[in-house]
Every structure is written in C-alpha cells, then in structure tokens.
Amino acid sequence: MNAFKTAILIGLTGLLSEHAYSNGIHPVVDSDSADDVNALVDKYLITPSGVENFLIGAPIPFSLSGYQFKERIEEAEGESYPLYTVWHGNEELLRIIPQYDFVEEQYSEKIGQMEIISAKYRTAKGIGVNTTIKEFAQIYPDYYIWYTYINGMYVLENDEDYTVQYILSEKDYKGKTIKVSGEINILDRNSFKPNARISKIRIFGLD
C-alpha cells in the first residue's frame, strides 16, 4: 500500500456568520425571504462531511441537475487516479477524488475526498477560499502550518476541524528550503507572506 492511497484512505492527521458572504453571494434579506436565505446558507456551507450534495462517503451525484462533471487522470507518488472537476456554468466549484476500494483494488464511485475551489463556500465561522492567514489567525489563534511531500501540500490547520485542511499556495512560501523528516513537517508561522490566502480547502474522511 503506497503513501498516496493511504492518504486517501485516512487523510493526513466545520451556519455561516456575517463574514460568510464577504467573497461569495450577497443576498438581499427581508422578513419574507428567511427560508430562501437559509437554503442559500446551507448550499454553500462547508462542514467536516462536505458541502450540501457532496458528502464524504456518499455516491458521486453525477446526475445532479445544474452541475457538470469532467473527469481526468492525475498522478501522485507514481500512482494514477481519477479526479472529477465539478462545474456550475463556467465556474469550477470543487474537485472530487473517489474512495479507493482496497478489497476490489480499484476506485469506487463514492466520494473519498474533495477540494473546494470556489470562494462561495464558507465554514460556520466564515473561512473559505481567499481567506488570509491573518483572518484565519483571528478565529484560530492556535493555528499551525505544515508541509507534506505527498502532493507537495502546504496546509493551514486548526485542532477543531481535523478533517478539513486549508491549502496554501507554494508561491506564497518565503521560508528556507524544507528539510523533510516525514509525511508531516511543521513550518514556522512566518514562513508565509502575511497576505497569503487560502487557495483551496481539502475535506477527507477517516473511514
């Protein structure tokens, strides 16, 4: 079992606030539209299990109305795997990697992990794509940043949402050359530009 498939299986060991709309949809609210607003909140809410119609462990909803799925083959750690990009019109919303079935030794049609690409999606505390490290730190002062050689990810994380990882862009890294000592390598907080933003959000399952 190689490191990439293991990472897919176990990962690498969260109601919107008013900030949730800062980079997404800005609805006009009146007393007659509460139900519509609540539906909008639910649609773009990031939870540890996923977002609305896309949940970890559930079947990939290929027939979901209004969404388009595009498949491509990716490679990591010498292993090929399918990846589905999910679109609404001309906007890419998220990317899905299916669960790997170790019994059948093939990828299933269930969601194994996903990457949120669109800034419309927000957590209950208003964190989403384009949130800065500074904004993240105001909500999670005990945050930490680490690097993994698996897919070369730079991860912004907190101890509350351990199945949600906030990915930073390598172009914003300004630290020294990383001396890799294992799968997880803790980085100095000052190793990233102060205005660095979350580039995507990874959600994975533990089963």
Side-chain angles (χ1 to χ4, degrees):
M1 184 186 304
N2 63 37
F4 177 72
K5 286 180 180 176
T6 302
I8 289 180
L9 178 66
I10 66 173
L12 293 171
T13 33
L15 322 143
L16 286 173
S17 69
E18 60 198 47
H19 304 294
Y21 302 96
S22 60
N23 289 308
I25 301 297
H26 302 264
V28 176
V29 181
D30 58 42
S31 58
D32 297 323
S33 62
D35 290 341
D36 291 338
V37 172
N38 287 333
L40 181 64
V41 167
D42 290 341
K43 182 175 183 179
Y44 294 113
L45 175 65
I46 298 173
T47 77
S49 299
V51 295
E52 198 191 29
N53 296 301
F54 305 91
L55 300 174
I56 299 298
I60 302 172
F62 291 114
S63 61
L64 188 62
S65 177
Y67 296 84
Q68 299 82 46
F69 295 79
K70 300 178 183 180
E71 180 182 9
R72 67 174 187 248
I73 303 300
E74 296 282 307
E75 288 193 7
E77 296 295 302
E79 191 76 19
S80 298
Y81 61 95
L83 181 145
Y84 298 95
T85 58
V86 182
W87 298 73
H88 185 266
N90 295 321
E91 181 183 11
E92 184 181 8
L93 300 178
L94 51 93
R95 299 168 185 171
I96 294 172
I97 297 177
Q99 282 183 349
Y100 187 80
D101 187 326
F102 286 92
V103 175
E104 299 295 331
E105 298 186 341
Q106 63 182 6
Y107 287 92
S108 69
E109 291 192 351
K110 293 184 177 181
I111 299 174
Q113 62 174 282
M114 69 182 74
E115 293 180 345
I116 307 298
I117 304 300
S118 172
K120 290 180 178 178
Y121 294 99
R122 298 267 143 177
T123 70
K125 295 185 178 181
I127 302 297
V129 171
N130 288 332
T131 295
T132 65
I133 294 179
K134 182 178 180 180
E135 291 168 336
F136 190 90
Q138 290 173 346
I139 298 174
Y140 302 109
D142 295 327
Y143 77 93
Y144 47 96
I145 303 174
W146 51 273
Y147 169 81
T148 177
Y149 65 84
I150 299 176
N151 281 352
M153 293 193 305
Y154 295 84
V155 182
L156 178 63
E157 200 167 50
N158 66 81
D159 289 328
E160 291 185 27
D161 309 321
Y162 57 89
T163 62
V164 181
Q165 297 171 341
Y166 305 89
I167 311 303
L168 301 171
S169 174
E170 183 177 18
K171 67 181 178 59
D172 290 322
Y173 180 73
K174 62 184 183 68
K176 298 179 181 180
T177 300
I178 300 172
K179 296 181 180 180
V180 177
S181 58
E183 289 187 4
I184 295 177
N185 303 269
I186 302 298
L187 303 177
D188 189 289
R189 289 185 174 189
N190 296 320
S191 62
F192 271 81
K193 298 175 183 178
N195 61 342
R197 297 176 180 272
I198 295 170
S199 62
K200 55 187 177 182
I201 298 173
R202 177 176 178 257
I203 307 175
F204 61 92
L206 295 176
D207 295 330

